[in-house]
Amino acid sequence: MSRRRRVYKKEEHVDSRYGSPAVARLITTVMKRGKKSLAEQIVYTAIEKSREGSDSVDPLEVVNKAIENVRPRLEVKSRRVGGATYQVPMEVTPARQISLAMRWIVQYADNRKGVPMEDALAQEIKDAAAGQGNAIKKRRNEIFRSRRERNLDALFQISDR
């Protein structure tokens, strides 16, 4: 029996310029201290700057490609059995995949010091769409961690039956 409360689905909002729920989630991820208009300005500028080098007609094509490249398929979670705690690889739900991808992109853009957030976010989105950058490294590290602990996955599959 789960100890946590049931999680209810929230209504998905869309942003005002593109009408995209992905951009709306990116804006809320960037937002700090409730300053939504500033977060919108940062995200919209970053989307325009990330498009500059590409020949795509759709402005969200680069953003969607970046999110798709960063989305993790597996993650390791702690599982306590007896007195020991094991890191067990588990599949990630699609909603959590998108949340983690956006969080990693924004986190690594924020870590770029000495660069305005619009430029840092645009560069991180470009890098992620091209299959490189810090967010992609983070995803690869998650994959390596889950592969390293793969033998525990088989152990827990048997014990759960």
Side-chain angles (χ1 to χ4, degrees), residues 69-85:
N69 286 349
V70 177
R71 286 170 61 168
R73 307 297 185 257
L74 290 172
E75 70 178 340
V76 291
K77 288 194 173 183
S78 296
R79 179 96 185 255
R80 190 168 167 85
V81 176
T85 305

Side-chain angles (χ1 to χ4, degrees), residues 77-88 149 152 155-156:
K77 288 194 173 183
S78 296
R79 179 96 185 255
R80 190 168 167 85
V81 176
T85 305
Y86 298 104
Q87 296 288 318
V88 181
E149 305 297 338
L152 290 176
L155 175 74
F156 285 108

Side-chain angles (χ1 to χ4, degrees), residues 96-111:
R96 182 161 166 78
Q97 287 178 2
I98 294 169
S99 296
L100 285 173
M102 288 190 184
R103 194 181 310 159
W104 292 344
I105 289 171
V106 171
Q107 174 188 352
Y108 287 115
D110 204 19
N111 285 346

Side-chain angles (χ1 to χ4, degrees), residues 69-76 87 89 104 107-108 133-149:
N69 286 349
V70 177
R71 286 170 61 168
R73 307 297 185 257
L74 290 172
E75 70 178 340
V76 291
Q87 296 288 318
W104 292 344
Q107 174 188 352
Y108 287 115
N134 293 326
I136 298 290
K137 279 186 198 172
K138 174 79 172 173
R139 178 177 180 250
R140 286 194 186 121
N141 287 342
E142 288 291 319
I143 291 170
F144 291 141
R145 285 175 61 196
S146 61
R147 282 188 184 154
R148 189 174 57 215
E149 305 297 338

Side-chain angles (χ1 to χ4, degrees), residues 32 104-137:
K32 291 183 181 175
W104 292 344
I105 289 171
V106 171
Q107 174 188 352
Y108 287 115
D110 204 19
N111 285 346
R112 292 183 184 214
K113 299 300 178 194
V115 181
M117 185 61 178
E118 296 104 1
D119 298 338
L121 186 59
Q123 192 59 46
E124 197 63 42
I125 289 171
K126 270 186 189 177
D127 289 348
Q132 43 190 288
N134 293 326
I136 298 290
K137 279 186 198 172

Side-chain angles (χ1 to χ4, degrees), residues 4 13 21 23 26 35 41 48 51-52 57 65-66 69 80 84 87 89 93 104 117 133 135 139 148 155 161:
R4 301 176 129 206
H13 299 288
V23 175
L26 187 60
K35 299 189 176 192
Q41 177 187 343
E48 293 303 318
R51 259 183 77 196
E52 285 175 356
V57 176
K65 178 90 169 130
N69 286 349
R80 190 168 167 85
Q87 296 288 318
T93 61
W104 292 344
M117 185 61 178
R139 178 177 180 250
R148 189 174 57 215
L155 175 74
R161 291 183 189 159

